[in-house]
């Protein structure tokens, strides 16, 4: 597996193309209604054919093991999660029409689910295709829906084939996902279940014994229940630049297919900074290639268009799909005379790369557009901070339990301290840490010695762990501390982590290095990921992780030169610094462009003197100010 690489081209400014919007321009009208948070739903489809009465290898029967596994899932699902149970082969000794809804898909009723599965008695045939069809009809029409098929054998009811039915039901992969668990299967039976999962834009889990069945069932159901929580207004990006969909500051939801490019348009003034971030959320763990991902470009519109910034996020591995985020920005130059500084219409394009053998389902994408006003005229910003500084001592103490968020919108808020969480294979957990002006972040995500399966050790199975950091505008932040953000994982203890430079307004003009994205006070996001192949490695359903989060440096009263430190306990309100927008994790890279309109190299005092009225950055008393300061103090 290749580690995802960061790319920062000369001329790219972190915070890259920050776009401020005065007007919403271009493209066909988009839907304006905010999308409510739709409840996701899950239906388990349990094979209850005659073979499930056979021994499970541990002294019981397969159906007994299945009942226990379902009960374990019921106990671990979140309260109120819409959950149902359908069985097939339990009604009569023979018949390819034998499937019943044992428990409807309603907000979770644990006692009712346990009674329903306890009543299942294996008897008959294996009408898998019919059961899948009926299960899709059992699910609500709204939200993300998951069918979780548990079977110990191949369908024996002829046409249509389960794999064909799965492909028809799952369609483009947006609304419905089909996962399968093979309980003590091999040969044609396993191939059929793998095919159903592949056609259903889902994942196949192998369960060679009763313990594995419970473990895999918990993993699959929890991934469904803990899916990324989207927030935004539905919009349809244009197929060409001429039909770009209009956007303003805020969050938007769209979808993108393999090889497709979506276009969006924004009207910008000449002074504000803005970040455009795109988060792609494929079905977790589905087949992908190393180069699969999203590629962004921000450019001016018109006959003589200039590329302002580019960014991309690729998986960099072929274990399976994960959440990825890329961003582009426009930071107006200090003089205001760059090619991408002019007021007018600008375009964002989002392109999806996909290998021929990768899952071809459409991906939901969340577009976050944040705008940041310039400093008040006459304000002298503090010098840029470009180095990490001295490494702080590791934090000690007993960890506090925390459950990370599914994404940026519900990221768990952390403060300085030691925290403990769990990760499922193919899962990314999100956290946020507030940084004020002059402060910096460092953290380590530590994975302890994890029990592994015997056959995994013998076969040298391995996966990976990874972490990433994002700024308030969801810009990927490059590590400044020399840490490891991606490591191969075999269950042995290891740590990944990152560190930032201090938050400084002037960092936005720094080219290259790790400073440019660290230019705004606010919430910084931590994402920690566990690779999909860990499902073939770890003995426990989830893998424990301890996060040691450190925030160092005194918080300053503002971004200005020689700003005083805030009094202890005093908080600074960052809301006025930027308009509210939205807030991979595994495998991502942030790109640069040809730098059209951007200054190259560090700014000088003379360069930063504001030339225009209306709020461009002004640098007074240039004489005594070092504009780029290489930090030597204690870092974070």
């Amino acid at each position: 597996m290749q580690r995802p690489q960061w790319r920062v081209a000369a001329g790219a400014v972190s915070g890259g193309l920050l776009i401020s919007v005065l007007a919403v321009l271009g493209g066909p009208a988009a839907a304006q209604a905010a999308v409510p948070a739709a409840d996701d739903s899950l239906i388990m489809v349990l094979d209850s054919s005659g073979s499930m009465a056979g021994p499970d290898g541990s002294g019981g029967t397969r159906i007994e093991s299945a009942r226990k596994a379902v009960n374990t899932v019921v106990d671990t699902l979140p309260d109120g999660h819409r959950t149902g149970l359908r069985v097939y082969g339990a009604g009569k000794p023979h018949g390819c029409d034998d499937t019943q809804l044992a428990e409807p898909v309603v907000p979770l009723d644990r006692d009712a689910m346990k009674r329903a599965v306890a009543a299942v008695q294996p008897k008959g045939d294996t009408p898998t295709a019919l059961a899948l069809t009926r299960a899709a009809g059992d699910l609500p029409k709204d939200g993300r829906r998951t069918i979780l098929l548990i079977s110990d054998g191949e369908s024996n009811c002829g046409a249509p084939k389960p794999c064909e039915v799965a492909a028809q039901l799952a369609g483009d992969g947006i609304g419905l996902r089909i996962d399968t668990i093979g309980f003590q299967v091999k040969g044609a039976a396993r191939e059929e279940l793998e095919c159903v999962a592949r056609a259903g834009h889902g994942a196949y889990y192998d369960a060679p014994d009763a313990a594995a069945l419970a473990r895999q069932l918990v993993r699959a159901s929890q991934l469904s229940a803990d899916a990324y929580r989207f927030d935004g207004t539905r919009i349809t990006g244009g197929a060409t630049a001429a039909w770009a969909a209009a956007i303003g500051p805020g969050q938007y939801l769209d979808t993108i297919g393999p090889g497709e490019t979506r276009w969006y348009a924004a009207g910008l003034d000449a002074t504000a900074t803005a970040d455009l971030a795109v988060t792609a959320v494929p079905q977790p763990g589905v087949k992908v290639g190393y180069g699969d991902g999203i590629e962004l470009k921000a450019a001016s519109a018109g006959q003589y268009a200039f590329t302002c910034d580019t960014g991309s996020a690729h998986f960099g591995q072929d274990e399976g799909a994960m959440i990825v985020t890329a961003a582009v920005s426009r930071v107006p130059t200090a003089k205001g005379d760059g090619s991408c500084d002019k007021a007018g219409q600008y375009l964002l394009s989002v392109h999806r790369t996909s290998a021929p053998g990768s899952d071809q389902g459409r991906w939901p994408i969340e577009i976050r557009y944040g705008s940041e006003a310039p400093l008040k005229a006459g304000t002298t910003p503090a010098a840029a901070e470009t180095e990490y500084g001295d490494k702080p001592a590791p934090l000690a103490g007993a960890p506090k339990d925390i459950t990370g968020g599914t994404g940026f919108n519900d990221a768990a808020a952390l403060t300085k301290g030691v925290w403990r969480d769990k990760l499922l294979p193919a899962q990314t957990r999100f956290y946020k840490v507030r940084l004020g002006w002059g402060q910096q972040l460092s953290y380590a995500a530590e994975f302890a010695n994890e029990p592994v399966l015997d056959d995994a050790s013998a076969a040298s199975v391995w996966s990976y762990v990874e972490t990433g950091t994002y700024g308030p505008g969801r810009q990927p932040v490059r590590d400044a501390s020399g840490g490891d953000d991606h490591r191969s994982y075999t269950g042995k203890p290891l740590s990944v982590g990152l560190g930032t430079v201090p938050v400084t307004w002037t960092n936005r003009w720094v080219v290259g290095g790790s400073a440019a994205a660290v230019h705004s006070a606010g919430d910084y996001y931590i994402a920690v990921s566990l690779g999909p192949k860990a499902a073939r490695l770890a003995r426990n359903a989830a893998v424990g992780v301890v996060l040691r989060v450190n925030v160092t440096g005194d918080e300053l009263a503002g971004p200005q030169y020689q700003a005083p430190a805030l009094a202890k306990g005093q908080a600074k309100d960052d809301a006025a610094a930027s308009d509210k927008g939205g807030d991979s994790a595994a495998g991502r890279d942030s790109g640069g462009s040809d730098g059209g309109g951007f200054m190259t190299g560090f700014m000088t005092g003379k360069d930063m003197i504001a030339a225009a009225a209306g709020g461009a950055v002004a640098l007074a008393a240039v004489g005594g100010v070092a504009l780029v300061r290489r930090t030597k103090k204690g870092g974070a």
Side-chain angles (χ1 to χ4, degrees), residues 122 183 270 340 376 399 418 424 496 519 553 557 568 573 630:
F183 186 22
C340 290
K376 294 180 180 179
V418 185
L424 297 165
V496 291
H519 65 249
K568 187 175 182 180
D573 183 7
R630 298 186 177 274

Side-chain angles (χ1 to χ4, degrees), residues 307-602:
T307 297
C308 304
D309 194 16
T310 62
S312 60
H314 298 112
F315 295 119
Q317 46 83 15
D318 61 358
E319 284 190 30
M322 302 287 281
I323 299 167
V324 290
T325 298
V328 288
S329 305
R330 186 195 71 173
V331 178
T333 60
K335 292 182 180 180
D337 60 355
S339 300
C340 290
D341 287 348
K342 298 178 177 65
Q345 187 176 17
Y346 286 76
L347 298 172
L348 167 69
S349 65
V350 182
H351 177 73
R352 173 180 162 187
T353 57
S354 181
S358 298
D359 181 84
Q360 299 297 293
R362 296 187 68 81
W363 294 351
I365 57 174
E366 185 174 75
I367 304 160
R368 192 267 188 193
Y369 176 6
S371 179
E372 187 179 22
L375 296 180
K376 294 180 180 179
T379 301
T380 303
E385 301 274 12
T386 63
E387 291 189 2
Y388 178 69
D390 297 329
K391 187 175 182 179
L395 292 177
K400 299 177 183 178
D401 289 329
I402 189 78
T403 299
T406 65
F408 291 102
N409 301 309
D410 62 351
L414 302 182
T415 55
K416 180 176 179 178
V418 185
W419 308 88
R420 179 172 52 205
D421 202 352
K422 292 183 178 180
L423 279 170
L424 297 165
Q427 186 175 55
T428 300
R429 288 292 198 190
F430 286 77
Y431 315 88
K432 60 183 179 183
V433 181
R434 186 189 174 280
L435 295 183
W437 296 110
Q439 293 185 309
Q440 57 188 140
L441 167 70
S442 65
Y443 69 92
E446 299 173 350
F447 292 79
N449 197 39
E450 181 69 23
V452 298
L453 301 171
D454 294 338
D455 55 350
S457 298
S460 299
V461 177
W462 53 271
S463 185
Y464 68 89
V465 295
E466 187 170 52
T467 189
T469 306
Y470 300 86
R474 301 188 185 178
Q475 321 95 305
V477 175
R478 298 182 66 195
D479 175 54
S481 67
D484 289 318
D485 61 0
H486 178 107
R487 298 184 68 182
S488 297
Y489 181 63
T490 61
K492 296 180 179 179
L494 59 78
S495 175
V496 291
L498 291 174
T500 74
V501 299
V503 178
T504 311
W505 174 275
T506 319
N507 283 350
R508 68 193 63 215
W509 281 290
V510 176
V511 177
S514 54
V518 190
H519 65 249
S520 299
D523 287 333
Y524 281 71
Y525 296 88
I526 297 170
V528 182
S529 304
L530 177 63
K533 210 159 66 174
R536 295 167 49 190
L537 172 71
R539 187 177 297 277
N540 296 321
V543 174
V545 58
V546 170
L547 289 97
R548 300 184 188 275
V549 177
N550 207 345
V551 176
T552 55
D554 292 332
E555 181 175 1
L556 305 179
Q560 66 270 25
Y561 176 62
Q562 292 186 335
L566 291 175
K568 187 175 182 180
Q570 181 182 3
K572 180 69 175 175
D573 183 7
D574 304 310
S578 63
D579 294 337
K580 184 178 180 181
D583 288 312
S584 223
R588 65 221 153 267
D589 40 86
S590 175
S593 71
D594 60 3
F598 288 118
M599 307 294 288
T600 57
F602 296 133

